[in-house]
Amino acid sequence: MTKARRWLGQRQHPVNLIAAACLLVVAIGVPIGIAGEHAGVLVPYLTVGSVAGLVWAGSVFALLRPVTASSLLVVGIFGAMFLFSRVLDGWDAALLPFAMCSLAGSVFGAHLRWTVERLRV
């Protein structure tokens, strides 16, 4: 029986990290730009969506193997679609930042795992 090797994370190219950081800015900046003068109303929703997506994907990719983490990332985005559009009335604005920050969080989480594992060795 073949034993699976322990996953030690994945080093992210600096361009990936910069792109993920830009994605975080776009996740909040685009909806605020579209809302214009009514952007103050959206800020709490955008903040909750961004932080939740970043924490969700970052922790999943930092703690689990890539196949499991990717599956949970997709499940999390579909769960957020249901939660923000059906359960929490008026929270539709949080969906785009959640999805975009989830993608950025996956990059940061995988890189965090790689960094921590390198420090242990």
Side-chain angles (χ1 to χ4, degrees):
M1 181 178 324
T2 305
K3 185 175 180 181
R5 275 187 11 181
R6 190 166 155 249
W7 186 63
L8 301 177
Q10 177 181 1
R11 180 183 179 275
Q12 298 295 317
H13 192 277
V15 173
N16 288 356
L17 296 171
I18 292 168
C22 291
L23 193 59
L24 293 175
V25 172
V26 169
I28 294 177
V30 168
I32 287 177
I34 291 171
E37 62 187 43
H38 304 291
V41 175
L42 293 179
V43 170
Y45 304 112
L46 299 177
T47 304
V48 168
S50 299
V51 170
L54 189 61
V55 169
W56 165 253
S59 61
V60 166
F61 272 84
L63 298 174
L64 302 174
R65 295 181 65 82
V67 173
T68 308
S70 300
S71 301
L72 287 175
L73 178 68
V74 172
V75 168
I77 290 175
F78 278 106
M81 287 170 44
F82 178 76
L83 178 68
F84 292 142
S85 63
R86 301 287 181 198
V87 178
L88 299 173
D89 191 30
W91 279 76
D92 295 343
L95 184 57
L96 178 65
F98 182 89
M100 293 178 80
C101 289
S102 292
L103 298 175
S106 66
V107 173
F108 293 135
H111 190 73
L112 176 68
R113 171 117 181 213
W114 177 79
T115 304
V116 168
E117 292 296 332
R118 291 235 342 167
L119 291 175
R120 286 186 189 169
V121 175

